[in-house]
């Protein structure tokens, strides 16, 4: 029997394709995968076809691991995903731009997005540029000085309506969604590497992109103050 902590289940969803993977986190390889391509003349997800696909594969995976799947990662590639670039410009009165200043600006940007797009859920929060004076950086750097700075951040999000629809389908199998990932972003990041989608998603999950901010639940256990909001992979 495979222990639950040793694997992750990934479900890829697009308008005309579904894929499901059981991924071994220790050996970093796929234990089970199934794909389904079909014609869809609509611009919307075919929820009936998705249910049938899950009916055919969830039981097979659960039989393989000897227990029920409790959580799943959804990799979504649909038109309804929203990408927004947001810039935060701040005065700096201490000259030295501290990590705390940087953190607070990221928190402000996240809160601003959530206030402006209350019908969306953030999937990815990416630092695109960190500008101090006339110098541009890809992420935070220690000991930078300046009387102001600007951070450009890209948000990738999914609508609460789609989340609700997918939650309802997975409820049938008593499976909860651990996280949503943007399929186009995941594939593009590893476009020069020969990897399976499950390997790509696992690496994104584990901080492959040092410019992605990992969002942390509001009440995590035994982590520092900074990590209560998010962790920078840098």
């Amino acid at each position: 029997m495979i222990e639950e902590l040793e694997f992750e289940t990934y479900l890829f969803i697009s308008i005309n394709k579904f894929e499901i993977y059981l991924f071994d986190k220790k050996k970093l390889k796929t234990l089970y995968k199934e794909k389904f391509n079909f014609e869809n003349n609509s611009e919307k997800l075919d929820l009936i076809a998705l249910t049938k696909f899950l009916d055919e594969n969830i039981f097979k995976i659960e039989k393989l691991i000897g227990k029920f799947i409790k959580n799943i990662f959804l990799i979504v590639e649909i038109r309804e995903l929203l990408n927004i670039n947001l810039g935060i410009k701040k005065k700096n009165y201490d000259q030295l731009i501290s990590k705390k200043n940087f953190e607070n600006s990221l928190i402000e940007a996240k809160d601003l997005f959530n206030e402006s797009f209350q019908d969306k859920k953030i999937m990815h929060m990416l630092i695109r540029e960190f500008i101090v004076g006339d110098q541009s950086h890809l992420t935070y750097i220690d000991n930078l000085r300046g009387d102001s700075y600007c951070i450009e951040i890209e948000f990738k999000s999914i609508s609460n309506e789609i989340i609700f629809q997918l939650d309802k389908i997975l409820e049938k199998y008593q499976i909860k969604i651990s996280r949503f990932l943007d399929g186009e972003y995941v594939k593009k990041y590893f476009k020069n590497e020969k990897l399976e989608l499950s390997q790509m998603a696992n690496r994104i999950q584990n901080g492959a992109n040092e410019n992605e901010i990992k969002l942390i639940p509001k009440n995590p256990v035994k982590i520092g103050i900074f990590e209560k909001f998010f962790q920078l992979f840098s």
Side-chain angles (χ1 to χ4, degrees):
M1 179 184 296
I2 303 172
E3 292 298 322
E4 184 180 1
L5 295 178
E6 293 180 2
F7 69 89
E8 293 169 332
T9 307
Y10 292 98
L11 174 63
F12 172 81
I13 298 172
S14 70
I15 295 298
N16 54 14
K17 181 190 294 186
F18 303 136
E19 302 176 10
I20 194 165
Y21 299 84
L22 179 68
F23 185 75
D24 187 321
K25 296 195 296 182
K26 289 186 176 180
K27 296 181 180 179
L28 300 179
K29 69 176 185 178
T30 299
L31 301 179
Y32 177 94
K33 66 179 177 181
E34 189 63 50
K35 302 181 181 182
F36 176 53
N37 295 283
F38 60 99
E39 291 187 8
N40 185 354
N41 298 321
S42 171
E43 294 294 330
K44 295 184 178 181
L45 286 172
D46 189 333
L47 301 180
I48 295 175
L50 176 59
T51 300
K52 183 178 179 182
F53 178 74
L54 292 172
D55 283 342
E56 292 173 351
N57 290 281
I58 292 295
F59 176 73
K60 292 179 181 178
I61 294 175
E62 290 178 338
K63 185 177 180 180
L64 175 63
I65 63 178
K67 60 171 60 179
F68 296 119
I69 299 171
K70 295 181 180 179
N71 301 285
I72 199 166
F73 295 90
L74 261 61
I75 307 167
V76 187
E77 196 171 291
I78 54 176
R79 291 179 57 185
E80 289 89 342
L81 300 185
L82 177 67
N83 291 345
I84 292 288
N85 284 353
L86 190 153
I88 293 287
K89 187 172 184 179
K90 305 292 289 185
K91 284 285 187 180
N92 182 51
Y93 299 101
D94 299 327
Q95 288 301 306
L96 183 66
I97 301 172
S98 68
K99 194 169 188 178
K100 186 65 178 177
N101 296 142
F102 192 75
E103 294 169 24
N104 289 338
S105 298
L106 294 174
I107 295 168
E108 181 181 337
K110 179 176 68 69
D111 290 344
L112 181 59
F113 180 91
N114 286 332
E115 289 171 9
S116 302
F117 301 94
Q118 296 183 20
D119 62 334
K120 308 291 182 184
K121 178 182 177 65
I122 298 171
M123 296 189 297
H124 305 279
M125 183 176 174
L126 308 167
I127 299 171
R128 289 306 183 195
E129 197 170 20
F130 178 42
I131 303 171
V132 181
D134 59 355
Q135 295 185 337
S136 175
H137 308 276
L138 293 178
T139 189
Y140 176 79
I141 297 176
D142 288 323
N143 301 318
L144 288 178
R145 295 179 178 273
D147 55 11
S148 66
Y149 61 90
C150 179
I151 309 174
E152 183 179 335
I153 302 159
E154 181 181 2
F155 290 93
K156 296 179 178 295
S157 64
I158 185 171
S159 74
N160 291 332
E161 180 182 356
I162 294 174
I163 292 174
F164 176 78
Q165 292 173 347
L166 296 173
D167 270 334
K168 291 296 290 183
I169 289 176
L170 289 164
E171 273 182 9
K172 173 184 175 182
Y173 312 95
Q174 297 183 321
I175 297 174
K176 293 185 177 180
I177 301 170
S178 295
R179 183 185 174 185
F180 289 89
L181 297 97
D182 183 326
E184 184 178 0
Y185 157 61
V186 172
K187 293 175 183 178
K188 185 176 180 180
Y189 189 80
F190 295 104
K191 64 182 180 180
N192 296 322
E193 299 185 49
K194 293 183 178 180
L195 297 171
E196 282 193 323
L197 185 58
S198 57
Q199 294 173 311
M200 298 179 193
N202 176 262
R203 287 177 63 173
I204 287 292
Q205 281 286 98
N206 286 285
N209 185 355
E210 65 177 12
N211 290 338
E212 178 168 359
I213 298 163
K214 185 174 182 181
L215 303 179
I216 300 295
K218 290 183 179 180
N219 297 309
V221 179
K222 294 183 180 180
I223 62 173
I225 294 174
F226 177 41
E227 286 78 7
K228 287 183 180 178
F229 297 96
F230 34 64
Q231 173 184 353
L232 292 178
F233 291 105
S234 59

